[in-house]
Amino acid sequence: MDRDLLTHLPVVVAVARRGGFALAAAELGMSPSAVSHAVRLVEERVGQPLFARTTRSVSLTEAGKALVETAAPALQDIAERMDRIRGIKGRPSGLLRINASNIAIPLAVTPVVAAMAERYPDVTVEVFAEQGLVDIVGEGFDAGIRLGEMIAQDMVTVRLTPPFKAVIVASPAYIAKHGRPRDVADLAKHNCIGYRLVRSGGLYRWDLNEDGKDVVVETRGTAVVTDSLGAIDLALAGVGLAYVFEPLARADLAAGRLVQILAKTAIEESGLFLYFPRRASMAPKLRAFIDTANEIGRASMRTPGRVA
């Protein structure tokens, strides 16, 4: 067996996953030149180029795709088995990579990571936040966090939060100046803070309930954001109406800094779930995250006003 080839295969897989040498180098803690050297060595052993390089992009050749499709699952399996072996007699350890929606960070990730820092100091949790869905297996993540209806049925899921509502909020100052919308149609007369979908480039349309029926409403306004917390900040500043998940605005609503608008139109979302492929469920580092999340969730359910 070619030992040099085995040593450098993880580098090739990282370049393929990240789509570039610089990004792979940053992930691996290596210099770009060292990454290039490792890839070049594997290419020499294979006898074919693995990547098609231009000044703007790096893509897999046919040979490179075949190699990565074989090597990536094998390397992932080895890493998971090593984590399990280390967890037999000791504490969970290793890098836990999670892909989460932006809203999941304050609602479901931060409290768990904070607790794990104390309980499992040998586990490093890396959280990649983005809007859209990704192939967590293909992208090298251990797990993802999304709303329940967004998750593929073949994934194992663990509930992280109770169901919650999507609500419209505004500041008392905005209401004093512009009044309240009286119904869904009246939203067209108000300054609504838009939400840009990064992957598609489109503007999110508000999902509301009108007279017992689900409706989708196109809004317009003078501000557009890509993050719900940004929408809340603008609403607090009196810019306009914001459409957000209620737990994110709960403290401001309780303190009177924000007011809920058209409460009867609020729809209920299923809540946030951790999800992962079935074979990953026994990894000690992932099990540690799940156990910690479950404990925090139980404690939150017993404490009014807190979000799991």
Side-chain angles (χ1 to χ4, degrees):
M1 181 65 68
D2 192 328
R3 293 182 179 179
D4 286 337
L5 183 64
L6 290 176
T7 301
H8 297 304
L9 278 178
V11 180
V12 173
V13 172
V15 173
R17 181 174 63 247
R18 300 307 299 269
F21 287 74
L23 292 173
E27 176 184 315
L28 298 170
M30 300 170 62
S31 67
S33 60
V35 170
S36 295
H37 174 75
V39 171
R40 192 161 53 248
L41 187 146
V42 176
E43 288 178 329
E44 290 174 357
R45 295 293 197 275
V46 174
Q48 297 185 66
L50 302 176
F51 296 97
R53 305 167 177 84
T54 70
T55 56
R56 295 186 178 182
S57 66
V58 174
S59 59
L60 286 168
T61 63
E62 185 175 350
K65 183 178 180 181
L67 178 63
V68 169
E69 287 178 347
T70 300
L75 291 171
Q76 180 69 21
D77 185 59
I78 291 171
E80 291 172 359
R81 289 175 184 272
M82 290 300 297
D83 284 341
R84 286 198 289 269
I85 291 170
R86 282 193 290 265
I88 291 174
K89 291 186 177 181
R91 297 165 63 85
S93 63
L95 175 64
L96 180 65
R97 302 185 74 238
I98 295 177
N99 186 288
S101 59
N102 297 65
I103 64 162
I105 306 303
L107 296 185
V109 176
T110 300
V112 179
V113 173
M116 288 188 65
E118 295 292 330
R119 301 176 188 181
Y120 307 105
D122 296 327
V123 176
T124 298
V125 183
E126 178 178 291
V127 182
F128 191 94
E130 63 178 331
Q131 291 178 346
L133 282 173
V134 300
D135 176 3
I136 60 171
V137 177
E139 294 290 330
F141 292 100
D142 297 288
I145 301 176
R146 291 293 187 282
L147 294 173
E149 59 267 23
M150 299 176 69
I151 302 171
Q153 293 184 352
D154 61 346
M155 290 287 177
V156 178
T157 60
V158 177
R159 177 177 286 280
L160 296 180
T161 75
F164 46 70
K165 290 186 176 182
V167 299
I168 304 172
V169 298
S171 69
Y174 177 89
I175 295 172
K177 186 174 181 179
H178 301 282
R180 292 172 176 260
R182 294 165 296 179
D183 50 32
V184 171
D186 210 21
L187 290 173
K189 302 176 184 178
H190 284 264
N191 196 24
C192 298
I193 299 165
Y195 187 74
R196 179 74 66 187
L197 300 171
V198 175
R199 284 185 174 260
S200 69
L203 284 174
Y204 182 76
R205 297 185 298 173
W206 294 6
D207 292 312
L208 301 172
N209 183 289
E210 184 177 30
D211 299 327
K213 298 180 180 179
D214 292 338
V215 295
V216 178
V217 180
E218 292 187 7
T219 61
R220 60 184 180 86
T222 60
V224 176
V225 298
T226 59
D227 183 86
S228 296
L229 296 179
I232 290 175
D233 286 341
L234 290 173
L236 287 167
V239 172
L241 309 180
Y243 179 86
V244 297
F245 293 129
E246 185 272 337
L248 294 173
R250 185 172 296 168
D252 292 314
L253 288 168
R257 294 185 291 268
L258 290 175
V259 177
Q260 186 174 352
I261 303 297
L262 299 177
K264 292 183 179 180
T265 68
I267 64 167
E268 186 169 83
E269 299 285 358
S270 59
L272 292 166
F273 292 78
L274 182 79
Y275 66 98
F276 47 89
R278 190 167 302 278
R279 63 180 177 80
S281 60
M282 294 303 293
K285 60 186 178 182
L286 183 56
R287 176 53 54 188
F289 188 95
I290 293 170
D291 291 344
T292 304
N294 284 338
E295 183 176 334
I296 290 175
R298 289 193 296 270
S300 298
M301 292 296 289
R302 296 193 297 268
T303 306
R306 292 194 60 193
V307 181

